[in-house]
Structures are given as structure tokens and as C-alpha cells.
Amino acid sequence: MQGSDASVRPPRGIFDCDEAHQSPLQDDYKRIFETGMVVLDANVLLNLYRSNEQTRLDTLAVLKKLQERLWIPYQVLVEFWRNREQSSIRHHHRSKAKEAQAALEKVPRSARDALERWAAAVHLKSNAEVSEQIDQVIEKLTLAIDEAKNLIETQAETDSLQGTASTDTDPVLADLRPLLEGRVGEPLSPEDHAKAVQEAQRRADDEVPPGYEDFKTKSAEQAAGDYILWAQLLDAAASKGCDVLLVTGDAKEDWWNLRNGDIPARPRMELVAEMRHHAGVRLFMLSPGDLLTWADQILDLQVKEASVNDLNQLRAVEAEAESTAAGWTVESIQNFLKQLAGRYQVQAKVVVAAAANNGFVDRATVYELAGYPADRQLKGFTRPLSTIAKELQEWGTLTGEEPFLLQTVYGSEAEPSLASGFRVPDETVPLIREVFEGTALWPTPRRSESGPGKTALKIAMALLPANASEWTAEVLGKAAENASAAMSATGQEVSADHLLRELESLAAMLTTRKA
């Protein structure tokens, strides 16, 4: 039997290994340009709004030359239309111009404040000659800033697209409509879509690419987009039976093995192997800028080098924005909680109370802050935060990459399926403290009536992941040790072993309940 299998299996070579990487050659791209699939991610299409005029023209020239080879997963279409109307997309140039101009407007004020603080510190505040010199410096600086703002405004006028408010007059849509006609895949059925979201979550839990990075900052429905795109691409490649070139501006590590010294970035080995096993073809990936570079060499289109640089810079800016996913800043936290407090004061109180308590607020405190009766449920308690976040994203105040601000921690001692409390992301605690400590929202310090044990348990709970399925023995032990150390720093001793037993008991109840 073994001999029979060996007789039909082709002999293996040096590259016949799932971990192998074979550097692509110009002939590979030439073959794909002639007979393969060129698949565009949503960011490639959206870049047509964000690029300058010359880059748009060069990109469209390449896409038109490759039209017979183009194919778009339906998920790309979904993400294109979902993001197209954001001000950061259609009004990219004006939006960035406003950001830059707003930053420049602060410069004269900051400079005057710095100079006046210096003058006061060295006892020159009442010196008329020094005050006059400061005024002259600020006047010159203001004129220079006005000149810079005019430069930005002029360039924004040149690069901004007109007519995008209506789909009938949008110049990008006018170019894409004939280009992609008949070249878009079919959507998943509702049943298959639901299964795909579940599979995306499973893969994300095991950090199987692509898409697991998005699960760190987005809802499951949105975070599953990369996997759904990938699943649709796998099926199309198997159907067409030709090599695939995926063009994407996504720079996250769940798509790419990043550049390593003199070795260029390349697709994740897992993706290359999955494509080969599922469809029997090779997977290649390029950034939008690299696509233009290869098209210039192979298709003889004379693409401007400035267009390649424009796309590379745009990708670098987007990658930097994603790497700060963070997202949350003092300004965005302040804006978010201002909106939240104006309409949903209870939720705002709970967010700030969590930050005041090392990131976690327990169920009892929530009821006390809200004045809720004991029989009221907390189901849907965080929904108002989703509403505010969506609105601020539409206004361009939030990027949409910020971690959700109030995460539910499940599993109370009395009923593990209930919320035991809520926590805010660790990185937001100092930001919220900086903005709100000492304000009316900041909780008034009070003596604990339950002793250091309960305080230590609260700290330990704040250190645990929001999802109880991630409470491994190692995670519980580390939380217990850190909480015990935190109490020791205040002069109150709480045994780490005692805390660990409490946490293990809670984890056991959750496991039993789930079973």
C-alpha cells in the first residue's frame, strides 16, 4: 500500500514544505498578469479617494490594463461601501488639511505660553523691552503659520475630488463601475456567513491568519471580514485553478511576514500553504505601490515614481495608525466621555469609576452608582457606548480602531452567567485619570467596609481578561501575585495563595456553568 502511494506521489523537492518560501521572480508576476487572478483588497479601491490626482491616474491605468485578470471577493465590495462615506475616505485631503491646520493654529499659543512662563521664571515678566520682543517673535511666527496653512489649503483644493456626494457624479465610481463589471464574487448565504464568523473567531483564538489582529479591537462581525475575504478567495482560486496575486494595503502581521533585514516582506507561510492545499495554486501578495512598480516593468506603462512613493507613504501612515491602535488619546477619551455623560450619565460614571479602581468596577458598585433596584438586569448596559462610538467614527473624531471602552466581565459568585462587573482597557486608565480625576464624575474616596481582602480581589479581577475562557492557571496565578504585591505596596498584606484560591473557585464555577 505504501509502495502504491509512493508511486503516484510526485517526488519532493527543496520547496515542497509548508514552511518553505520561494522568492517570486518577474516571470511569476508576468505569468499572473497574463493568466492568473489579480485580486484587489478594499483599501486598494479606497486609495483612489485618498491619493493625489497623478497617483489615481497611474493606478487606474494599471487596473485597466489588468482588467481581464481582475477579481473581487464580495467581502471587498461590502467593506468598500461600508467605508466609502467616511470623511477620512471621500474627504481625505480636506480632512487631513483640517487636522494639520488645527495643529498649526496651536503653535503660536504654545510658543507665547512658553515664552511668558520663561519670562516669569527669570523675573522678566514686567520688562517692557522683553515683552515687546516676545510680541514681535509671535507676530513673525503667526505669519509663517498662516503661510503654511495657505499652502495646505491650496494643495487640498488640488487633490480633493469633486462630486463624490452623489454616486451619479462620483468620478471614482465612474471609473470602477465598468472596470469591475462581472468581476465580483457572490456573497455568502446568511447561514454560511454566520458559520464563517464563528470560524473566524475560532481561528483568531488560535492566532491563525488572516484577521486575528482585528479581533483585538473590533466586534466579531467586523473583525471576521478578513477571514471571510480569504475564504471567498480560496474557493475562487480552486474554481479558476490559476495562481493568485492579492494586492492589499493591509500591513498587519496576520497577513505578512514582515521585512527581515534584506529579506522583503512576504505572505504568511500559513496562507501560502492553505492556498496550495485548498486550491493547488501559488499565492503571491503585493502592496499597491509594489503593484505599480511591477506593472511599470512588465506592462510598459511608464508609471510615475512619485505615484509609487505616494502609495507607499499612504500605506506607511495607515500602518502607523494601526500600530497605535490603540487609538485612545487624552483628547479622544475626553470627547467620548463628554458625549456619553451628556446622554448616558450612568455609563459615564461607571467608566470613570472603573478607571479610578485600577480598571475594574464590580457589579455592586454599578448598581450603587446607577441607583438601580436589585432586580434590574444589566443586559445591554454597554450598548450606549457602541452608539456613541459609531457616531464619533462618522464625525471623524474616532478612527474605529480604538478598543471598546467598557468590557463586560462575566461570572459573579451567585450566578456565573451574570456580569460580575466591567473593566476598561489598561491603556485608558491613566488617560481617564488625567482628564477626570478631581471632577464631578470622579468617585469620592471612601474607606472600604469589607477589608483589604475584597480590595485585593477587585484588583486581581481587573487584571484578568474580559473573556473568562482565557483564565488559565498561569493567568490566574499571575493576577493573584500582582494583586498581592499591589496590596503589600500599601502596607496591607493579602496572601497570593488566598487570592488564587478565590480566583480558582470563581473560574471553576464558570466552567461548571458553561458545561
Side-chain angles (χ1 to χ4, degrees):
M1 193 68 164
Q2 291 179 344
S4 174
D5 288 343
S7 66
V8 298
R9 182 187 302 130
R12 287 189 179 277
I14 188 66
F15 290 109
D16 294 320
C17 171
D18 284 351
E19 299 303 316
H21 168 65
Q22 189 171 4
S23 301
L25 302 173
Q26 178 168 318
D27 285 346
D28 292 315
Y29 294 121
K30 185 174 186 296
R31 183 182 68 255
I32 292 176
F33 287 173
E34 293 174 352
T35 63
M37 288 173 60
V38 178
V39 181
L40 307 179
D41 199 357
N43 44 57
V44 180
L45 307 181
L46 295 170
N47 278 349
L48 296 171
Y49 292 100
R50 296 182 289 197
S51 302
N52 61 42
E53 183 178 8
Q54 184 59 56
T55 305
R56 277 195 295 271
L57 293 174
D58 283 341
T59 301
L60 286 167
V62 171
L63 297 183
K64 288 174 182 177
K65 193 78 171 180
L66 295 173
Q67 182 172 6
E68 295 303 312
R69 309 265 53 91
L70 295 183
W71 186 80
I72 308 293
Y74 187 81
Q75 181 63 25
V76 165
L77 208 59
V78 170
E79 294 180 6
F80 171 79
W81 284 104
R82 185 170 63 205
N83 291 290
R84 173 188 168 273
E85 294 190 6
Q86 293 181 10
S87 60
S88 59
I89 301 296
R90 279 196 308 112
H91 302 303
H92 173 79
H93 294 283
R94 290 201 173 279
S95 176
K96 292 302 177 183
K98 287 180 180 179
E99 287 180 16
Q101 290 171 326
L104 288 171
E105 285 174 357
K106 298 176 183 178
V107 172
R109 293 196 298 270
S110 297
R112 179 175 288 280
D113 289 344
L115 287 169
E116 289 180 349
R117 285 197 301 271
W118 163 76
V122 297
H123 314 294
L124 292 174
K125 190 171 184 179
S126 59
N127 187 305
E129 183 179 352
V130 171
S131 296
E132 183 178 352
Q133 289 177 325
I134 289 176
D135 288 341
Q136 291 173 355
V137 168
I138 297 302
E139 183 178 357
K140 292 177 182 178
L141 182 58
T142 301
L143 289 173
I145 293 298
D146 287 342
E147 186 177 350
K149 288 166 59 180
N150 288 336
L151 168 65
I152 293 169
E153 183 65 28
T154 300
Q155 192 62 44
E157 286 286 344
T158 300
D159 293 331
S160 293
L161 284 171
Q162 304 299 319
T164 61
S166 169
T167 58
D168 293 326
T169 57
D170 185 329
V172 171
L173 294 179
D175 285 315
L176 289 180
R177 184 172 183 176
L179 191 66
L180 301 180
E181 190 70 32
R183 304 191 176 280
V184 179
E186 293 298 317
L188 298 177
S189 68
E191 296 79 10
D192 288 341
H193 181 87
K195 290 178 182 178
V197 172
Q198 292 178 350
E199 176 64 8
Q201 178 70 71
R202 184 196 67 77
R203 289 170 63 119
D205 290 342
D206 295 330
E207 293 201 343
V208 177
Y212 62 79
E213 286 290 331
D214 284 344
F215 274 87
K216 298 176 181 178
T217 58
K218 297 179 181 178
S219 66
E221 184 68 27
Q222 284 198 358
D226 277 4
Y227 169 70
I228 294 174
L229 180 159
W230 176 243
Q232 292 173 339
L233 176 53
L234 287 174
D235 289 344
S239 173
K240 296 177 183 293
C242 57
D243 287 348
V244 174
L245 171 61
L246 173 61
V247 185
T248 177
D250 196 327
K252 295 194 293 295
E253 67 172 23
D254 56 0
W255 280 106
W256 298 90
N257 279 329
L258 303 180
R259 172 179 285 275
N260 181 10
D262 59 347
I263 301 176
R266 59 191 188 274
R268 284 283 293 261
M269 294 298 98
E270 300 95 324
L271 301 179
V272 174
E274 189 172 4
M275 177 64 74
R276 183 170 61 249
H277 294 317
H278 186 91
V281 301
R282 289 183 67 185
L283 170 70
F284 299 84
M285 284 170 52
L286 288 175
S287 69
D290 287 340
L291 174 67
L292 265 61
T293 297
W294 282 109
D296 179 62
Q297 296 178 28
I298 297 172
L299 303 178
D300 193 27
L301 285 175
Q302 298 182 342
V303 172
K304 297 286 191 300
E305 184 177 353
S307 297
V308 176
N309 293 335
D310 180 31
L311 289 174
N312 289 339
Q313 289 171 10
L314 183 59
R315 184 169 184 250
V317 169
E318 293 299 311
E320 183 179 357
E322 288 175 355
S323 68
T324 56
W328 288 112
T329 63
V330 167
E331 185 177 4
S332 60
I333 282 283
Q334 189 170 24
N335 288 337
F336 185 94
L337 287 176
K338 179 181 178 182
Q339 293 293 327
L340 189 66
R343 292 153 58 185
Y344 307 101
Q345 192 169 45
V346 168
Q347 280 77 5
K349 286 182 179 179
V350 169
V351 169
V352 177
N357 190 47
N358 297 313
F360 176 76
V361 60
D362 64 18
R363 184 183 183 88
T365 302
V366 173
Y367 275 78
E368 182 179 341
L369 289 171
Y372 289 161
D375 60 350
R376 172 162 178 162
Q377 296 184 359
L378 293 179
K379 184 177 181 180
F381 184 80
T382 63
R383 196 170 297 144
L385 283 86
S386 299
T387 300
I388 298 295
K390 184 177 180 181
E391 291 176 358
L392 292 181
Q393 287 169 31
E394 292 174 351
W395 298 344
T397 305
L398 296 183
T399 65
E401 298 296 329
E402 296 84 359
F404 194 65
L405 194 54
L406 193 62
Q407 301 157 353
T408 307
V409 178
Y410 289 100
S412 67
E413 294 182 7
E415 177 53 77
S417 66
L418 296 180
S420 64
F422 301 89
R423 58 176 302 196
V424 295
D426 292 341
E427 65 269 26
T428 66
V429 171
L431 303 179
I432 297 171
R433 180 181 294 275
E434 179 178 342
V435 175
F436 291 96
E437 187 170 20
T439 69
L441 276 179
W442 195 260
T444 303
R446 58 180 182 176
R447 183 182 298 274
S448 172
E449 299 175 354
S450 50
K454 177 140 188 183
T455 301
L457 185 58
K458 283 184 179 181
I459 294 174
M461 289 290 293
L463 297 172
L464 293 174
N467 188 342
S469 66
E470 299 175 20
W471 293 3
T472 63
E474 182 181 358
V475 169
L476 294 175
K478 191 171 293 186
E481 290 175 7
N482 290 339
S484 176
M487 294 303 296
S488 295
T490 66
Q492 301 179 83
E493 296 298 329
V494 178
S495 165
D497 289 339
H498 170 74
L499 282 173
L500 180 57
R501 287 194 296 272
E502 292 282 338
L503 294 176
E504 287 175 338
S505 175
L506 178 56
M509 285 192 294
L510 284 171
T511 302
T512 302
R513 178 73 179 186
K514 186 175 181 180

